Amino acid sequence: MELLSLVVPCYNEEENIEDFYEEAMKQEPFFAEKHIAMELLYVDDGSTDHTAERVRALHEKDKRVRLISFSRNFGKEAAIFAGLSKSRGGIVVLLDCDLQDPPSLLPQMYTLMCEEGCESVATRRVSRKGEPPIRSFFARRFYHLINRMSDTEIVDGARDYRMMSRRFVDAILSLEEINRFSKGIFSWVGFETRWLEYENVERRKGETKWSFWKLFRYAIEGIVGFSTAPLAFASFMGVFFCILAFLLIIFTIVRAAIFGDKTSGWPSLVCIISLISGVQLFCLGIVGQYLAKTYMEVKKRPIFIVKDEI
Ligand code: UDP
Ligand code: MG
C-alpha cells in the first residue's frame, strides 16, 4: 500500500488542530479506494499554547497522527524542512493548519499528478480577497522585484500548498541551507510542476502569525537567497559615482582656469558629500546582508531541534 503524508506546520494553532484533522480525513475514502494510506504529520514549531497536547490527544485516538515538537520557534521554513525530512510517504503534501489550504483539493491534485505524470502539483490563489490592501500591495511589488532580479521564477500568489513525489521531496532536502526560502527552492529544484488555481480562503480560526516586519525580513531572505543582483547594483553605483566625480573634477578645474576660484559652492559640496556617503553606506549594507547570510551558513547550525516526537 502506498502512503500519503500530510505535513502541517503549526505555531500556536490549538483551535485549528481538530478542525484540520476532520477536514483532512474527509478525503480519506478517495485515497483508500486507490489503496493509499494516510499519515498526518503535525510539526509543532515551538508553540506556547496547547498545540502539542491537542495533537497528542488525536494520536491517542488515531495512530496515523504523528507529531514533531521543536524546542523553540524556528519559523515556518524550519517546520517545512523538518516535516519533509520526517515524512515517510511516497507522496507528500505540505499544507497550513488554518485551513487556508483546503484539503478538499487533495483528490484533484492527486488526479492531476497521476494523469500528467508530473513530480509536483502546486497551488496558486487567483485573488488576494480578504487580505489587507497594504499587504497585497507590497506582496505584488516584491514578486515583481524578485522576478526581475532572480533567474529562479517565483510565482505571484503561489502558496506553499503542494503535492510532491518522493523524488521531489528528496531534491528539496538536498538543499541544506539555513536561510531557507521555500518558494524559491521549489522552483529551483526543477521537475515538472502543474499549477492548480483557487480562490483565496480566509483563515478558519486564530490570527496570522506573520507580522509586516516578519514578512519584510522574509522578502529580504528571498532576495538575498536567490539573487546576487544587489551586489552588482552596489558595484554599478560605485562606478557611476566615480565617473560623476571625475567629470566634476574636470569641470571645476576648467571653471577655475577660466573664471577663477571664488570659493563658492559650499552648500552644494555638503549635499554631494551626504549623498555619496549615503550611497556608500547603502551599498555597504547590501554587502553586509550577504556577509551575514554567508556567516550563518558557514556555522552549519541545524535547521531545527526536536524536543519531542511521536
Ligand atoms: N507557522 C509556523 N511557524 C511560524 C509561523 C507560522 O509553523 O513561525 C505556520 C502556521 O501555524 C500556519 C502556517 O505556518 O499553519 C501559515 O501561517 P499563517 O496562517 O499565520 O500565515 P498566512 O496564511 O497569514 O500567510
Ligand atoms: Mg494562514
Side-chain angles (χ1 to χ4, degrees), residues 192-241:
E192 292 279 294
T193 296
R194 285 282 164 276
W195 288 89
L196 200 66
E197 297 190 338
Y198 71 100
E199 282 285 326
N200 190 27
V201 184
E202 284 187 51
R203 161 184 267 283
R204 174 80 60 98
K205 287 172 187 160
E207 279 183 356
T208 177
K209 308 294 180 295
W210 293 84
S211 65
F212 183 80
W213 282 113
K214 217 169 158 187
L215 276 174
F216 182 77
R217 286 211 309 270
Y218 188 58
I220 300 281
E221 197 82 69
I223 292 173
V224 175
F226 282 87
S227 167
T228 46
L231 286 174
F233 169 77
S235 320
F236 169 79
M237 290 302 268
V239 172
F240 175 77
F241 277 99

Side-chain angles (χ1 to χ4, degrees), residues 13 76 96-101 135 159 201-204 207-210:
E13 300 279 7
K76 188 184 178 189
D96 286 359
C97 193
D98 56 3
L99 293 168
Q100 274 193 296
D101 299 333
R135 191 166 152 174
R159 303 274 310 167
V201 184
E202 284 187 51
R203 161 184 267 283
R204 174 80 60 98
E207 279 183 356
T208 177
K209 308 294 180 295
W210 293 84

Side-chain angles (χ1 to χ4, degrees), residues 114-165:
C114 290
E115 277 173 6
E116 308 265 335
C118 54
E119 300 286 333
S120 118
V121 175
T123 59
R124 189 175 161 258
R125 47 181 183 176
V126 283
S127 69
R128 287 182 172 270
K129 200 175 68 198
E131 200 183 59
I134 298 195
R135 191 166 152 174
S136 302
F137 172 78
F138 280 106
R140 291 230 161 79
R141 303 295 350 128
F142 165 72
Y143 284 108
H144 183 73
L145 186 72
I146 194 164
N147 279 311
R148 289 192 61 174
M149 291 187 344
S150 172
D151 296 335
T152 307
E153 195 198 354
I154 317 266
V155 180
D156 186 3
R159 303 274 310 167
D160 290 337
Y161 187 16
R162 194 180 268 264
M163 183 177 275
M164 297 164 266
S165 67

